[in-house]
């Protein structure tokens, strides 16, 4: 492809994306009518022997790929969690690809490293986070990771290093370590225990209360039992908004127990932490001043396109000690002097993308006000929907709904709830996901797509309510 062709097709693609986001996505089914293997069957089984035109590629994209996608930007997308995008963020992603920078060390691109540090501090300020996480603090700082799953893993590795006195190596014994979370916490926590070489048999699932939040008394009892058994409690995850029900663990009480036993406290606020951009929702930060690490995702509810996860720690020395390996070809005077950050020491991969451009573009060209307005609108819509559900004879709200997630169940039981989810998704009135709360099936309604309006929610509710009544 020549530079002239790149310009032409680049302009065409930007026009296509803008048209699709403003009009085309709403014309698609939010979930495609397709079966496993249908998409592949429409594409050639073998690679082309001769180059094809870009127009031919775009034709297949429009006719085969896009209709086979789950449309996360659709106004009727109420599943899982929002994964919003915005135009400045898209342009930041394009610029990152165009510059082709690898942000693994200060020496590999000084400006990219320093912009990332600045963006973590900007977001620290905008979210109202505690001072110990800022890059200018004595021991803390942050980095952009790919996902909250990565952040949980690196927090676990830092905690492992601290708990073993820095003796962990490739053959180190970690069988005495135990960690804690609730069964409502994200699945990446259990996966992290596998990757970190500790094993899922060393995960303790702390019982929850009637709001699906961790019980501090139960956490304390489990810690005491493990200590009595000669084990070493080293890591606990407090969730600020679980995926299943948006439960908020009581972090201040958990922190008191964790500090008593030198247990690393990691707070996972993958989606809900972004709510703190609106000052009235800063309650989501409760207890963060007592945490060792914290993570939240601008690539969910904020509108910074995937992937962009923010991770902060109050103990960067443990993190760097756990993850730093310095081959001669990466040594630099700046890093050795301590005057610069090498982000290769702040995560699992060596190579890293220039993700900070997406935040920089978005915050400079649009600011935080449009994001705050969107968050407030989604919360208000969720509370209004909760009022409608409360007045319905056959549907019940089964979990607290402080922000933008509502969990409901059919009065006739699990079979009716599961059938409602399946029928609603098949009818295309929206896309919903199922969870299980205290052994009970629940339909999750996550209101967070950038394009979702009150009209979308009202139409969805009318259809969902009718379906629920027809099942009685």
């Amino acid at each position: 492809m020549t530079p002239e062709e790149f310009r032409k097709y680049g302009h065409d693609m930007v026009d296509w994306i803008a048209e699709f986001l403003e009009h085309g996505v709403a014309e698609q089914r939010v979930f495609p009518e397709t079966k496993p293997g249908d998409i592949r069957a429409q594409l050639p089984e073998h690679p082309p022997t001769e180059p094809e035109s870009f127009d031919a590629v775009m034709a297949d994209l429009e006719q085969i790929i896009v209709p086979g996608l789950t449309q996360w930007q659709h106004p009727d997308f109420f599943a899982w969690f929002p994964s919003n995008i915005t135009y400045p963020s898209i342009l930041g992603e394009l610029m990152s690809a165009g510059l082709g920078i690898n942000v693994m060390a200060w020496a590999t691109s000084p400006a990219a490293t320093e912009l990332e540090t600045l963006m973590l501090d900007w977001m620290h300020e905008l979210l109202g986070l505690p001072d110990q996480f800022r890059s200018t603090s004595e021991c803390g700082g942050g980095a952009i990771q790919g996902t909250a799953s990565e952040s949980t893993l690196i927090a676990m590795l830092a905690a492992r290093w601290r708990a073993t006195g820095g003796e962990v190596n490739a053959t180190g014994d970690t069988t005495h370590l135990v960690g804690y979370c609730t069964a409502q916490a994200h699945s990446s926590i259990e996966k992290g225990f596998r990757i970190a070489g500790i094993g899922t048999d060393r995960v303790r699932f702390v019982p929850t209360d009637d709001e699906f939040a961790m019980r501090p008394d139960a956490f304390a009892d489990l810690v005491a039992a493990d200590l009595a058994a000669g084990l070493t409690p080293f890591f606990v995850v407090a969730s600020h908004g679980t995926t299943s029900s948006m439960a908020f663990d009581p972090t201040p009480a958990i922190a008191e127990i964790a500090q008593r036993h030198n247990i690393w406290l990691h707070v996972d606020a993958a989606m809900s932490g972004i709510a703190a951009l609106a000052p009235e929702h800063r309650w989501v930060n409760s207890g963060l001043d007592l945490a060792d690490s914290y993570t939240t995702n601008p690539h969910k509810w904020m509108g910074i396109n995937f992937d962009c996860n923010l991770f902060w720690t109050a103990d960067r020395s443990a993190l760097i000690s756990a993850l730093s390996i310095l081959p001669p070809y990466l040594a630099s005077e700046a890093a050795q002097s301590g005057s610069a950050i090498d982000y290769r020491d702040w995560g699992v991969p060596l190579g890293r993308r220039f993700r900070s451009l997406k935040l920089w573009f978005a915050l400079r060209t649009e600011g935080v006000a449009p994001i705050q307005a969107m968050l407030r609108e989604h919360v208000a819509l969720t509370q209004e929907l909760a009022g409608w559900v409360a007045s319905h004879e056959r549907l019940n709200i089964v979990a607290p709904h402080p922000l933008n997630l509502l969990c409901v169940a059919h009065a006739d039981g699990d079979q009716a709830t599961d059938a409602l989810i399946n029928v609603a998704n098949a009818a295309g009135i929206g896309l919903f996901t199922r969870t299980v709360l205290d052994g009970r099936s629940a339909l999750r309604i996550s209101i967070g797509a950038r394009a979702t309006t009150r009209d979308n929610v009202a139409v969805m509710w009318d259809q969902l309510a009718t379906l629920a009544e027809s099942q009685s």
Side-chain angles (χ1 to χ4, degrees), residues 437-449:
L437 301 173
D438 271 352
R440 183 182 186 183
S441 288
L443 181 154
R444 298 172 68 261
I445 306 174
S446 175
I447 300 177

Side-chain angles (χ1 to χ4, degrees), residues 164-192:
T164 57
E167 296 301 320
V168 171
N169 53 46
T171 58
D173 179 15
T174 60
T175 57
H176 63 290
L177 300 180
V178 287
Y180 309 83
C181 63
T182 73
Q184 295 292 313
H186 197 268
S187 60
S188 62
I189 298 166
E190 189 172 357
K191 187 174 184 178

Side-chain angles (χ1 to χ4, degrees), residues 103-306:
V103 195
M104 57 187 177
W106 184 88
T108 64
S109 196
T113 295
E114 295 185 22
L115 183 64
E116 181 166 342
T117 305
L118 179 63
M119 289 305 97
L120 267 296
D121 284 347
W122 277 17
M123 289 300 298
H124 174 280
E125 180 178 338
L126 290 170
L127 292 168
L129 300 183
D131 290 343
Q132 75 263 24
F133 291 143
R134 194 170 180 86
S135 70
T136 53
S137 67
E138 183 178 356
C139 301
I144 300 178
Q145 309 292 342
T147 67
S149 301
E150 293 177 41
S151 286
T152 297
L153 174 62
I154 65 172
M156 192 180 298
L157 295 174
R160 187 185 73 172
W161 186 90
R162 192 171 75 178
T164 57
E167 296 301 320
V168 171
N169 53 46
T171 58
D173 179 15
T174 60
T175 57
H176 63 290
L177 300 180
V178 287
Y180 309 83
C181 63
T182 73
Q184 295 292 313
H186 197 268
S187 60
S188 62
I189 298 166
E190 189 172 357
K191 187 174 184 178
F193 275 89
R194 294 183 188 179
I195 298 171
I198 295 163
T200 54
D201 61 328
R202 295 301 190 193
V203 184
R204 304 291 188 254
F205 292 106
V206 184
T208 56
D209 59 22
D210 56 4
E211 294 187 349
F212 311 105
M214 183 184 293
R215 285 174 40 206
D217 62 322
F219 172 47
D221 289 345
L222 286 172
V223 170
D226 285 328
L227 288 170
L231 300 172
T232 303
F234 85 109
F235 188 69
V236 60
V237 177
S239 297
H240 284 197
T242 60
T243 300
S244 278
S245 67
M246 196 171 280
F248 281 79
D249 291 332
T251 298
I254 295 169
E256 181 182 348
I257 299 163
Q259 289 182 338
R260 194 183 310 152
H261 301 287
N262 197 30
I263 302 170
W264 185 289
L265 171 58
H266 176 64
V267 176
D268 178 3
M271 182 188 75
S272 301
I274 292 299
L277 290 174
E280 67 269 27
H281 295 310
R282 291 275 168 85
W283 57 268
V284 302
N285 292 342
S286 176
L288 289 189
D289 57 317
L290 304 171
D292 294 286
S293 55
Y294 175 68
T295 188
T296 191
N297 285 337
H299 68 228
K300 284 193 171 80
W301 205 8
M302 183 176 170
I304 306 301
N305 55 293
F306 189 85

Side-chain angles (χ1 to χ4, degrees), residues 305-317:
N305 55 293
F306 189 85
D307 55 354
C308 184
N309 164 265
L310 306 181
F311 170 82
W312 286 274
T313 181
D315 187 359
R316 63 174 177 263
S317 64

Side-chain angles (χ1 to χ4, degrees), residues 92-102 354 357:
E93 190 78 85
L94 176 62
M95 184 58 72
S96 174
L99 291 173
I101 300 300
N102 193 320
F354 196 178
L357 277 179

Side-chain angles (χ1 to χ4, degrees), residues 29-103:
R29 280 182 58 92
V30 63
F31 187 81
E33 291 183 296
T34 186
K35 300 185 298 296
D38 283 354
I39 307 304
R40 176 167 178 161
Q42 298 177 67
L43 298 169
E45 183 63 23
H46 303 288
T49 56
E50 297 292 336
E52 300 180 59
S53 71
F54 196 76
D55 289 335
V57 176
M58 286 299 295
D60 281 351
L61 176 84
E62 290 181 341
Q63 297 165 21
I64 301 173
I65 302 301
V66 171
L69 297 174
T70 301
Q71 301 295 342
W72 286 68
Q73 307 308 313
H74 199 289
D76 294 332
F77 183 90
F78 303 109
W80 299 296
F81 49 81
S83 186
N84 290 325
I85 57 176
T86 53
Y87 292 125
S89 179
I90 296 170
L91 293 176
E93 190 78 85
L94 176 62
M95 184 58 72
S96 174
L99 291 173
I101 300 300
N102 193 320
V103 195

